[in-house]
Amino acid sequence: MHDLKWIRENPDALDAALARRGAAAVSATVLDLDKRHRATTTELQVLQSRRNDVSKQIGGVKAKGGDAAPLMAEVAEIKDKMTALEEEEKLLGEKVKSLLLTIPNILLPVVPDGRDESANVVVRSWGTPREFNFSPKEHADLGAALGLMDFDQAAIMSGARFVVLKGALARLERAIAQLMLDTHTTANGYTEVNPPLLVRDVALTGTGQLPKFGADLFQTTAGLYLIPTAEVSLTNLVAERILDGATLPLRMTAFTPCFRSEAGAAGRDTKGMIRNHQFEKVELVSITAPEESEAELERMTKCAEGILQKLELPYRVMALCAGDVGFGANRTYDLEVWLPGQNTYREISSCSNTGDFQARRMNARYRPSGETKGTRFVHTLNGSGLAVGRTLIAVLENHQQQDGSITVPAALKPYMGGLEIIAPGAKIL
RNA sequence: GGAGGGGUGGCCGAGUGGUUGAAGGCGCACGCCUGGAAAGUGUGUAUACGUCAAAAGCGUAUCGCGGGUUCGAAUCCCGCCCCCUCCGCCA
């Protein structure tokens, strides 16, 4: 959400920023509503002031046993006028607020121009895609051949876009998550959190999924929503709080299931477990002072990259272009992992700085250390560190052998009880 | 799910219709005192919005949230949220 004052002073900057995203200008509409809202507010406040005044006089007159009738008549008249104004004021205020909630964040100047993902820029890459002396298979085929990845049975109980992992693959997924959590909580300084998976609409409004993207979410009959990412739960850990500046930055990580309706993705990535309704992810969230957030984004991205390196998975870092950066972010790096079975790079992590965009929506502030007066909005960042399901895919495809077995990367062996090879033919279920 | 109790400033806590943004205390800041410190003592100590070129000042709102009653609400009424206690159910 944007600062209204800033929009008043920089309407053209807002519209120009929206144009970079390919979005329509809104400043004129905002300013018109805001102007009418403030005019109404001022008018109302004059009446309120007068009413408070006269009411005090009535108290005084009555205390002395005088006749307050004329004064009461005056207040009655004032109140008449106030009723309509109050309604108007409230309505205009709500209109301004709801419009503000639909305006995306302003991109930083470093974000490359471009309309869609084809204009994203490769920042750096790591690792060399392995040379295969056979034709590498896709993860869904590998998993099925191992007998440990079952889409059919998942469909019977849950429908499309679900998967059942069994035996060594179920364990592999857990091992991957453990490696990530252990790395982030020790080497990278993040605090592990186990947050709620069901949240209220205010939490989702705070992080920006609502009000615009409700169609992507699963909502329960009780009105709560399943989180589409732990970013929601973790970032809301600072909602409505005033933090002590000395405690910043806060770094937290959580391993959670994520739920997405994939409403707009019919027909895309229908094979395999690339795009499921339910998947697991280790999320990273940082809360920083404003001047630290850009450096923190670099740091966070490096933390995510570290996991890919440990797993010996080639990847590249993409700077998303203006048209591809998400609603709440001012800048985003995607990590794309090499998938030999699909002969392409696929997104496995997305690290974003939202600046004070989310902080304003959830009223997350801090008091700069040393200062006793005044608060400022914090900056919030989030990144996948990494998407666990997609990491599993990458491990399968990159570490597959000609016979369909999977070599367990060294970093995962301790978490696999020393298992070195996941081989076909295990008797399972 | 049933019954009851409660949500006041950074914290504790008073306040059941009238000049209360809110007593008192703690904490914090600054000063006095002291060789220095403690103790003592004095002063100050919320947020948002509006007005203003800006500051000061002024105005408005805020005692969980929203609505209502009233000339006037932290105080009365209604709805919601949250917390606590007991009962029931339950991993």
Side-chain angles (χ1 to χ4, degrees):
Chain A
M1 190 163 71
H2 300 292
D3 183 5
L4 245 186
K5 273 193 234 167
W6 181 85
I7 297 179
R8 275 179 217 141
E9 287 156 16
N10 307 280
D12 297 337
L14 174 65
D15 289 338
L18 290 176
R20 288 200 69 198
R21 284 182 180 268
V26 293
S27 71
T29 314
V30 174
L31 291 185
D32 176 57
L33 280 172
D34 174 48
K35 195 174 163 187
R36 285 159 59 200
H37 177 236
R38 278 187 298 154
T40 311
T41 304
T42 304
E43 200 179 338
L44 182 62
Q45 288 185 351
V46 170
L47 291 175
Q48 282 171 330
S49 175
R50 181 67 193 149
R51 180 203 61 190
N52 292 347
D53 233 38
V54 177
S55 287
K56 280 183 185 176
Q57 288 178 36
I58 290 173
V61 169
K62 282 198 167 178
K64 288 177 189 138
D67 176 16
L71 290 172
M72 288 173 73
E74 184 179 349
V75 174
E77 202 176 305
I78 293 171
K79 284 188 67 177
D80 266 356
K81 290 186 201 161
M82 281 176 63
T83 313
L85 273 179
E86 273 171 353
E87 234 166 274
E88 172 100 5
E89 193 273 340
K90 195 180 151 196
L91 185 71
L92 286 168
E94 279 166 3
K95 278 189 179 173
V96 172
K97 180 87 191 284
S98 57
L99 179 56
L100 244 32
L101 285 174
T102 64
I103 302 173
N105 202 353
I106 291 177
L107 303 170
L108 295 182
V110 292
V111 173
D113 285 319
R115 295 180 58 181
D116 54 44
E117 61 178 25
S118 64
N120 293 343
V121 174
V122 179
V123 176
R124 59 181 170 270
S125 46
W126 183 92
T128 310
R130 179 181 147 201
E131 298 271 346
F132 288 87
N133 53 12
F134 59 95
S135 177
K137 295 192 177 77
E138 286 192 49
H139 71 277
D141 297 334
L142 289 165
L146 287 169
L148 304 177
M149 187 182 287
D150 192 339
F151 294 98
D152 298 335
Q153 197 62 38
I156 286 168
M157 68 177 102
S158 303
R161 295 197 189 281
F162 286 91
V163 68
V164 179
L165 296 181
K166 306 172 193 174
L169 282 195
R171 177 159 192 179
L172 181 62
E173 185 166 47
R174 176 160 58 91
I176 288 168
Q178 300 288 15
L179 170 68
M180 292 178 187
L181 279 177
D182 284 350
T183 303
H184 294 317
T185 54
T186 56
N188 296 336
Y190 286 81
T191 300
E192 184 170 350
V193 174
N194 188 180
L197 308 180
L198 286 162
V199 297
R200 293 201 237 209
D201 57 357
V202 283
L204 290 153
T205 302
T207 39
Q209 282 81 11
L210 291 178
K212 280 187 93 168
F213 308 105
D216 299 331
L217 303 167
F218 286 113
Q219 186 175 15
T220 67
T221 54
L224 293 171
Y225 293 83
L226 284 162
I227 58 169
T229 159
E231 167 200 346
V232 176
S233 311
L234 291 179
T235 310
N236 272 281
L237 244 26
V238 297
E240 303 295 339
R241 284 175 65 185
I242 300 174
L243 303 165
D244 175 359
T247 65
L248 300 178
L250 298 179
R251 298 189 176 107
M252 38 212 171
T253 182
F255 167 50
T256 71
C258 302
F259 303 91
R260 300 187 182 178
S261 76
E262 297 298 345
R268 282 172 64 192
D269 302 314
T270 47
K271 183 181 181 188
M273 47 183 291
I274 284 276
R275 190 179 299 276
N276 279 178
H277 287 309
Q278 174 188 330
F279 61 95
E280 295 183 334
K281 182 156 62 67
V282 170
E283 183 73 359
L284 304 173
V285 163
S286 294
I287 312 295
T288 75
E291 49 282 355
E292 307 295 336
S293 69
E294 274 300 280
E296 184 70 12
L297 179 64
E298 301 300 326
R299 183 187 190 278
M300 177 181 277
T301 306
K302 289 270 166 45
C303 291
E305 286 177 58
I307 302 297
L308 288 167
Q309 294 178 12
K310 283 194 178 200
L311 295 175
E312 305 156 51
L313 299 170
Y315 67 90
R316 60 185 190 182
V317 181
M318 308 296 289
L320 296 198
C321 76
D324 206 25
V325 173
F327 178 77
N330 64 26
R331 185 182 188 190
T332 297
Y333 288 122
D334 270 7
L335 302 187
E336 295 183 344
V337 69
W338 175 249
L339 294 183
Q342 302 187 21
N343 196 38
T344 186
Y345 284 96
R346 289 300 301 247
E347 176 186 340
I348 196 166
S349 170
S350 189
C351 300
S352 298
N353 184 2
T354 77
D356 64 7
F357 186 82
Q358 292 178 326
R360 284 179 188 285
R361 294 167 82 102
M362 63 177 71
N363 199 24
R365 294 166 293 169
Y366 78 103
R367 210 180 292 284
S369 48
E371 290 181 32
T372 52
K373 296 195 77 163
T375 57
R376 301 169 70 192
F377 287 111
V378 296
H379 278 200
T380 63
L381 302 95
N382 63 81
S384 351
L386 312 159
V388 176
R390 290 190 180 181
T391 305
L392 178 96
I393 291 171
V395 168
L396 296 186
E397 294 197 10
N398 281 279
H399 297 290
Q400 64 178 292
Q401 306 302 317
Q402 189 155 17
D403 64 358
S405 64
I406 311 297
T407 307
V408 177
L412 288 176
K413 278 182 201 162
Y415 297 97
M416 293 295 286
L419 184 70
E420 303 201 356
I421 304 266
I422 300 174
K427 203 176 166 193
I428 207 96
L429 296 181

